[in-house]
Amino acid sequence: MFTQRGARLARRLALHQLDAWGVPHGSPASDTAALLVAELAANAVTHGRVPGRDFELAVRLLGRTLRIEVSDTRGERRPPGPGTSRPALRPLAENGRGLVLVEALADRWDVLDRLPVGKTVVAELDLTR
């Protein structure tokens, strides 16, 4: 599932699961989760690709917290974590905004080691009713 098509499929599957958990399509929480999954999956496809290896998506509902995890096998290509300063973005640059969006949309996020190899980017979204 390490293609742009795989990233789109990951987003659709996550939204279907959220709907099954009672977070309806088109709700603010669903829309925010869709953006988070899309950005994290696109980052995995773009920056974490290893030929013959897929990325992994896990979506968990932990009480009223939605936890989105996207893992890939490129542990040596670790993005800067939350709160880390990044180079200034050029106004017309076509890339470099994925984690800026994740930081803006998620209530919490982090980059974790994935054992035995790789990394996992985790984003959490607090669900309120």
Side-chain angles (χ1 to χ4, degrees), residues 11 34-44 97-99 101-102 105:
R11 185 177 133 289
L35 288 169
L36 288 169
V37 170
E39 287 302 328
L40 294 177
N43 282 351
R97 290 176 172 77
L99 290 178
L101 289 172
V102 170
L105 295 170

Side-chain angles (χ1 to χ4, degrees), residues 41-120:
N43 282 351
V45 168
T46 304
H47 305 293
R49 184 178 177 96
V50 173
R53 302 279 180 113
D54 291 340
F55 71 88
E56 179 180 42
L57 169 69
V59 180
R60 294 179 172 84
L61 188 59
L62 307 168
R64 297 301 305 154
T65 299
L66 175 66
R67 184 177 173 99
I68 300 164
E69 302 174 3
V70 176
S71 302
D72 65 55
T73 55
R74 295 286 303 263
E76 77 281 4
R77 295 204 56 193
R78 194 177 180 97
T84 305
S85 64
R86 295 179 182 84
L89 296 172
R90 293 187 342 245
L92 300 177
E94 293 183 14
N95 56 24
R97 290 176 172 77
L99 290 178
V100 173
L101 289 172
V102 170
E103 188 148 16
L105 295 170
D107 291 299
R108 290 164 299 286
W109 76 281
D110 206 352
V111 182
L112 309 173
D113 291 330
R114 179 179 184 242
L115 299 175
V117 64
K119 66 183 171 298
T120 300

